[in-house]
Amino acid sequence: MAQDSWPSPAHNGRAVTDTEYEKIAARFSGDGVYGEPGDSAVVTAGTGLSVNLRANVYASVRGHAWTSGTSTVNLPVTANSSGSTRVDRVVLRLDRADWTVRAVVKAGAPGGGAPALTQNTGDTGVYEVPLANVNLVSGANSVTVSRNELYVGVRIRPCTSTTRNPNPAPGEMCFETNTGRIRVWDGDGWVGLFDDSGVIGVNSPLSAWTIGTESVLQKRNGNVHLRLGSFQRAAGTLAGGDESRLPVLIPAAYRHPTRDQYAMAYTTGVEISRVQIYSAASDRPGQVWLVNHPSIAKGDYVLPGSGISWVVD
């Protein structure tokens, strides 16, 4: 099939079919009601076996606009004499048989919970989005309604870390498929909203120290959280005035750009020591050093505190 585009004078005399319209319009707006959960419920219990849709509600289903109109819409609910409670759904349904969107009550199976949504995405069939659940006890002459509106949300642009929009607008968001990060443009730069590195081991063996417990970090939502492990002195006695590098190295992507970090540690004999984690801007980038401590003999332990964190995004 040759390339095509529409609407265009070269395409069917600028005529666009319903199917062709859906192909482009389904991406113009997310499915659901225009509004937010703090608004009044779209669906409430009506008189007897019925539900009411409030007036002046607007929504979109696969790019097709819908409104409830200027007055309350009443929808009947079929009776239930099955002996089990039945859960129905009120849905907005796009029916491609006539290309209309209507609110309908979709009956569930007694005792079986709310019925599944039908969401056909081809050229035929129906596509449904939820508005509410309707609970109907067997033999009851009234219903109870629980809210379940799907609201139209804000679009997030997919990209990679190297293909973000070069001319973003303030508030624009993107999802980097290669990193799993969500970012927002604040007018000056891309700010991290969500990311999760998973647990990363940061041991960096040195002959002067034996590693007892692994050192690990995890970056989440722009913050690095470090748990330093435990270390035993393997070389000779470390004098109290001497600094010593510990067997840990923070990877470049997780170093604070300008500020060193500090942590407390216990050493054998219940002594207090100080650990320094160097920033990317230092002459020891990413290295971890024991900088203030008592004399530490061969075989003595250094047990740093955990829960050190800093911001990188």
Side-chain angles (χ1 to χ4, degrees):
M1 179 179 178
Q3 295 186 62
D4 200 358
S5 65
W6 58 86
S8 165
H11 176 86
N12 197 27
R14 298 194 68 86
V16 176
T17 68
D18 292 296
T19 298
E20 290 168 341
Y21 171 79
E22 184 181 345
K23 295 297 184 186
I24 56 174
R27 300 296 297 175
F28 293 166
S29 170
D31 295 325
V33 175
Y34 299 154
E36 51 89 17
D39 295 342
S40 299
V42 173
V43 182
T44 55
T47 301
L49 298 180
S50 70
V51 294
N52 289 331
L53 277 67
R54 66 177 171 87
N56 300 312
V57 179
Y58 291 86
S60 177
V61 181
R62 298 286 293 172
H64 293 75
W66 170 87
T67 181
S68 59
T70 57
S71 59
T72 300
V73 177
N74 181 261
L75 300 175
V77 176
T78 58
N80 176 21
S81 59
S82 66
S84 300
T85 297
R86 194 184 77 218
V87 181
D88 298 345
R89 280 190 190 269
V90 182
V91 300
L92 287 178
R93 176 184 291 161
L94 167 65
D95 189 342
R96 295 186 185 90
D98 58 8
W99 296 97
T100 59
V101 176
R102 295 291 184 267
V104 300
V105 179
K106 183 175 185 176
L117 296 168
T118 301
Q119 294 188 331
N120 298 315
T121 57
D123 298 342
T124 60
V126 302
Y127 193 97
E128 299 169 339
V129 297
L131 292 178
N133 289 349
V134 180
N135 292 273
L136 180 60
V137 176
S138 179
N141 56 11
S142 64
V143 302
T144 57
V145 175
S146 56
R147 299 184 63 166
N148 194 27
E149 299 99 337
L150 181 71
Y151 287 95
V152 173
V154 177
R155 296 281 183 172
I156 298 180
R157 184 190 304 274
C159 64
T160 69
S161 56
T162 59
T163 61
R164 302 184 201 120
N165 184 1
N167 298 302
E172 181 171 329
M173 299 175 68
C174 68
F175 172 68
E176 298 175 353
T177 57
N178 61 322
T179 67
R181 297 181 297 189
I182 297 175
R183 294 182 172 273
V184 62
W185 180 259
D186 67 358
D188 295 315
W190 289 102
V191 179
L193 292 183
F194 172 80
D195 64 292
D196 190 345
S197 68
V199 177
I200 298 172
V202 291
N203 287 348
S204 181
L206 298 170
S207 60
W209 296 93
T210 299
I211 298 171
T213 305
E214 182 183 21
S215 295
V216 297
L217 65 75
Q218 184 168 4
K219 177 172 174 274
R220 181 174 290 179
N221 302 343
N223 297 282
V224 172
H225 304 273
L226 173 67
R227 188 208 67 184
L228 289 169
S230 60
F231 316 106
Q232 185 178 24
R233 185 67 180 171
T237 297
L238 177 65
D242 294 340
E243 295 184 352
S244 177
R245 183 179 172 185
L246 293 173
V248 180
L249 180 64
I250 308 302
Y254 307 107
R255 299 167 189 166
H256 193 283
T258 59
R259 291 194 296 273
D260 298 343
Q261 310 296 317
Y262 300 92
M264 302 300 293
Y266 290 100
T267 56
T268 297
V270 197
E271 299 278 0
I272 300 296
S273 299
R274 190 181 193 216
V275 174
Q276 186 166 352
I277 304 158
Y278 284 89
S279 73
S282 72
D283 58 358
R284 296 173 173 176
Q287 296 180 19
V288 179
W289 285 68
L290 196 61
V291 293
N292 301 103
H293 56 85
S295 177
I296 299 176
K298 182 178 180 178
D300 284 353
Y301 288 90
V302 174
L303 307 173
S306 61
I308 310 157
S309 62
W310 59 87
V311 176
V312 293
D313 287 335

